[in-house]
Amino acid sequence: MNRVACLARVGFTELAVTWQHGRVAAVLPLLHRDPFDRMLVAQAQTEELVLLTRDATVRRYDIATMPA
């Protein structure tokens, strides 16, 4: 079984980047300078998701996180 099939089997799904995610990322406080990490934060906020991370700067945002 390939990786995508394994992830789907346990309930993971893809999350596309939307205009709303971009709008939220654009107004985030500049705690983190990496645009990809800022997009992950925006997605977590918009979709009310828990972000798995070991990045201490990402954890400073108003989102739920879980240590990686």
Side-chain angles (χ1 to χ4, degrees):
M1 182 178 299
N2 67 38
R3 291 179 198 167
V4 174
C6 288
L7 291 171
R9 185 173 178 206
V10 296
F12 283 84
T13 59
E14 292 181 47
L15 179 58
V17 175
T18 67
W19 289 107
Q20 180 63 20
H21 298 148
R23 286 190 291 270
V24 170
V27 298
L28 285 173
L30 289 175
L31 303 175
H32 208 300
R33 300 291 180 187
D34 185 316
F36 185 79
D37 286 338
R38 291 169 54 78
M39 184 58 70
L40 292 175
V41 169
Q43 287 183 306
Q45 281 185 344
T46 303
E47 306 298 329
E48 299 180 1
L49 300 172
V50 176
L51 186 57
L52 180 68
T53 183
R54 67 173 74 177
D55 188 327
T57 305
V58 167
R59 291 193 305 265
R60 292 176 57 199
Y61 285 99
D62 185 24
I63 56 169
T65 62
M66 179 183 292

